[in-house]
Amino acid sequence: KLQFLYFIDNLLTNKMPLLVKGGTVVNDDFESKLDVLMDGGKIIEVKEDIPTAGHEVVDATGQYVLPGGIDTHTHMQLPFMGTESVDDFHHGTRAAVAGGTTCLLDFVLPSKGKSLLEAYEQWRKWADPKVNCDFSFHCAVTWWSEDVSREMGELVHKHGVNSFKIFMAYKGVFMLRDDEVYQVFKRCKELGALAQVHAENGDVIDTQMKSLLKMGITGPEGHCMCRPADVEGEATNRAIMIADQVNTPVYIVHVMSKEACDAISRNKTAGKLCFGEPIAAGLGTDGTNCWNEDWRHASAYVMGPPLRPDPTVKEYLMKGLASGMLACVGTDNCTFNADQKAMGRDDFSKIPNGVNGIEDRMSIVWEKGVKSGILSRKQFVGATSTTAAKIFNMYPQKGRIAVGSDADVVVWKDVPRTISKDTHHHAVDFNIFEGMTVHGVATTTISRGVVVWQDGKLKTTPGSGRFIPRKPFGPVFDSVATRDAERDPLKRKVERK
């Protein structure tokens, strides 16, 4: 019936179904040589030997056919630290599809005291006319009041936002106190929305930042020095503790250290509902660059939490991903050019925080994970697409090659390429992976059944992407009611004589 309806639509619109032929389909749970037929923005058939007649054909012989990548963490055209990130929703999504990512989750980030709903509407106005692939939104909660609580409910029920982020860092700007964090988590639980956390101890960072500047340490290395790994590890553990007291799942964004990874691992092993997100930067490079004698080079690597100077962290986080202690890979793509980074030339606390990653994310994970033998191909698909779709309640619409799923597909080839700012599709003038040779290349990227990248050429149309609303109470909430039922009988008053 579905195929018949698409056949009638094609007759009326003179479109041909798209067939990916001869490749090996890889999902997170199986791998098999199958053809994939798409029409009307959906996958309509997955089987062996689909005839080519009447179809537009993409030859995937000798290649892998994967679900389109999902980047869980981006900041396109973000107003931040007195400037705005240069990858807007047009350039950012072009870079995304060039690297095999067909859906991104960006952050609505209202200033303290500002309306969450107004910020959401502003981000939609920025994104809708520019996006070249599908997208959805998280929303940050940067202050707390009854109005914020009410607007969180409206975002969930009317606008399809099912995840809210709080900051334990950026004191005086975004940071919430622990009692406010508790209230946000409590509201997330009521709404069936996933709580997300930027986990660093903002009080310690603020104190150490002032101390280092007073000592005359003003360069990018000071950024790393004021927020060492223990600062991230402590806050990660504290965030999970608070979420556990509420009994709601929590998602730690941009896990950048062994200490944070260990906190997640320890708490997951204890049965707590927590998820960790490493990012391409932390898996592909390290913080030694912040000590580079060239100030521009060093400043390009400034982000928060910082890249760690310990070069073994990359493999440690990748093994955390392989073991299941970490969940899925984002990028925190938030790019600033040299003149913007130079705002902090004499004061590291004024360097806009952010790096690139969305175009190279999947290649970095393939190179550092699959080619090194740490991840299987199926685990790669889980880490770059499927697990994100499940956590954020988009599965199986996203994150799977299956009949009825969105026609977001990547044809992937295990061949080398060298990363460079001269060839990337970002708007930024630097690439933190400059000169790195990686294996794993998207030869064809398909978004909503349309080829948007093929053989090194973009075929995108601004505004062609769609906002993906996400329902609350996704699978991360499956055990919450049972846990409450186990805990509640223990909360009883002792009757004394």
Side-chain angles (χ1 to χ4, degrees):
K1 183 178 179 181
L2 183 67
Q3 291 185 49
F4 176 74
L5 290 173
Y6 287 137
F7 173 74
I8 296 299
D9 179 66
N10 289 334
L11 287 178
L12 296 174
T13 60
N14 200 32
K15 292 188 301 184
M16 295 178 68
L18 182 65
L19 175 64
V20 177
K21 182 76 175 172
T24 299
V25 170
V26 185
N27 278 318
D28 71 322
D29 58 355
F30 82 87
E31 181 174 324
S32 183
K33 190 171 182 180
L34 299 166
D35 298 338
V36 181
L37 185 63
M38 292 160 269
D39 204 4
K42 295 288 184 181
I43 296 172
I44 62 169
E45 200 166 14
V46 182
K47 68 177 188 179
E48 296 179 358
D49 300 324
I50 298 175
T52 59
H55 303 145
E56 179 186 351
V57 178
V58 173
D59 183 7
T61 303
Q63 302 178 73
Y64 301 107
V65 181
L66 316 175
I70 300 172
D71 189 338
T72 52
H73 189 152
T74 68
H75 296 286
M76 302 304 172
Q77 63 189 85
L78 173 69
F80 186 50
M81 298 181 75
T83 186
E84 184 178 288
S85 59
V86 295
D87 278 335
D88 64 3
F89 282 96
H90 174 58
H91 289 96
T93 53
R94 280 164 62 92
V97 300
T101 290
T102 56
C103 183
L104 57 88
L105 296 168
D106 202 82
F107 283 88
V108 174
L109 191 53
S111 300
K112 191 177 288 287
K114 300 298 183 181
S115 164
L116 276 63
L117 287 171
E118 289 178 6
Y120 168 84
E121 294 296 344
Q122 178 61 72
W123 257 257
R124 286 295 301 267
K125 288 177 182 176
W126 286 334
D128 285 354
K130 295 182 180 180
V131 286
N132 296 286
C133 65
D134 288 355
F135 70 107
S136 195
F137 284 147
H138 312 293
C139 185
V141 177
T142 58
W143 60 296
W144 182 247
S145 72
E146 286 303 314
D147 286 340
V148 171
S149 178
R150 176 183 55 79
E151 290 194 337
M152 288 173 69
E154 194 164 337
L155 284 169
V156 169
H157 297 308
K158 294 184 179 180
H159 299 289
V161 175
N162 74 0
S163 44
F164 294 92
K165 175 184 177 182
I166 65 94
F167 292 84
M168 289 177 150
Y170 300 113
K171 187 174 181 177
V173 183
F174 299 137
M175 177 179 157
L176 298 185
R177 303 186 311 268
D178 283 0
D179 62 312
E180 294 172 318
V181 172
Y182 187 98
Q183 293 301 323
V184 174
F185 285 5
K186 184 179 177 182
R187 183 60 169 147
C188 282
K189 181 182 179 181
E190 292 169 353
L191 294 169
L194 180 59
Q196 298 173 286
V197 181
H198 176 132
E200 291 182 286
N201 189 312
D203 288 317
V204 171
I205 291 169
D206 187 66
T207 301
Q208 297 193 147
M209 176 185 69
K210 292 172 181 175
S211 176
L212 288 165
L213 289 170
K214 191 174 181 180
M215 292 168 62
I217 299 173
T218 61
E221 69 278 7
H223 176 80
C224 299
M225 292 178 186
C226 76
R227 48 214 308 159
D230 284 343
V231 166
E232 185 188 1
E234 181 277 330
T236 300
N237 189 73
R238 180 159 42 100
I240 297 170
M241 178 275 294
I242 296 171
D244 186 59
Q245 294 303 304
V246 175
N247 187 28
T248 197
V250 64
Y251 181 97
I252 308 300
V253 301
H254 47 42
V255 175
M256 301 296 288
S257 65
K258 294 177 181 179
E259 288 79 355
C261 182
D262 288 348
I264 293 165
S265 178
R266 184 172 61 251
N267 281 287
K268 282 183 77 73
T269 302
K272 296 177 182 177
L273 294 174
C274 55
F275 306 89
E277 170 201 83
I279 63 172
L283 296 170
T285 187
D286 59 63
T288 56
N289 290 280
C290 288
W291 275 260
N292 192 286
E293 291 184 358
D294 181 292
W295 191 92
R296 167 55 182 142
H297 179 99
S299 69
Y301 291 82
V302 168
M303 64 169 297
L307 289 156
R308 303 300 171 190
D310 177 358
T312 67
V313 169
K314 300 187 290 292
E315 184 174 323
Y316 196 89
L317 295 179
M318 188 64 76
K319 288 180 176 178
L321 200 59
S323 70
M325 291 301 152
L326 299 179
C328 48
V329 181
T331 60
D332 198 8
N333 192 101
C334 187
T335 53
F336 300 97
N337 281 328
D339 58 335
Q340 295 171 296
K341 291 280 187 175
M343 293 166 62
R345 178 75 189 184
D346 300 314
D347 179 349
F348 66 79
S349 70
K350 293 182 171 60
I351 301 172
N353 290 195
V355 298
N356 64 282
I358 197 168
E359 183 167 351
D360 302 314
R361 179 184 70 106
M362 292 179 67
S363 292
I364 291 291
V365 178
W366 185 270
E367 179 68 23
K368 302 294 184 180
V370 178
K371 295 298 287 185
S372 69
I374 296 174
L375 298 179
S376 68
R377 289 186 291 270
K378 288 182 287 187
Q379 286 177 309
F380 170 80
V381 169
T384 58
S385 182
T386 308
T387 302
K390 291 177 179 178
I391 288 174
F392 293 104
N393 208 18
M394 298 187 289
Y395 184 84
Q397 178 184 359
K398 303 291 186 186
R400 189 159 187 85
I401 302 288
V403 173
S405 295
D406 283 356
D408 294 347
V409 176
V410 181
V411 180
W412 190 261
K413 193 170 185 177
D414 187 9
V415 293
R417 73 177 176 94
T418 300
I419 297 172
S420 174
K421 66 178 177 59
D422 297 326
T423 54
H424 72 200
H425 297 84
H426 295 275
V428 71
D429 59 5
F430 196 95
N431 193 306
I432 62 170
F433 309 115
E434 186 71 33
M436 186 184 298
T437 297
V438 292
H439 295 76
V441 174
T443 58
T444 301
T445 303
I446 299 162
S447 173
R448 305 180 69 82
V450 177
V451 174
V452 291
W453 167 261
Q454 192 168 43
D455 298 330
K457 294 181 180 179
L458 286 162
K459 302 181 177 184
T460 53
T461 303
S464 60
R466 295 292 180 267
F467 179 79
I468 305 299
R470 295 172 290 125
K471 293 181 180 180
F473 293 103
V476 294
F477 279 87
D478 285 352
S479 65
V480 169
T482 302
R483 288 166 180 260
D484 277 339
E486 289 292 317
R487 292 180 179 194
D488 288 346
L490 302 176
K491 299 176 182 178
R492 64 183 186 274
K493 179 181 178 181
V494 175
E495 299 294 340
R496 295 182 174 86
K497 294 181 181 179

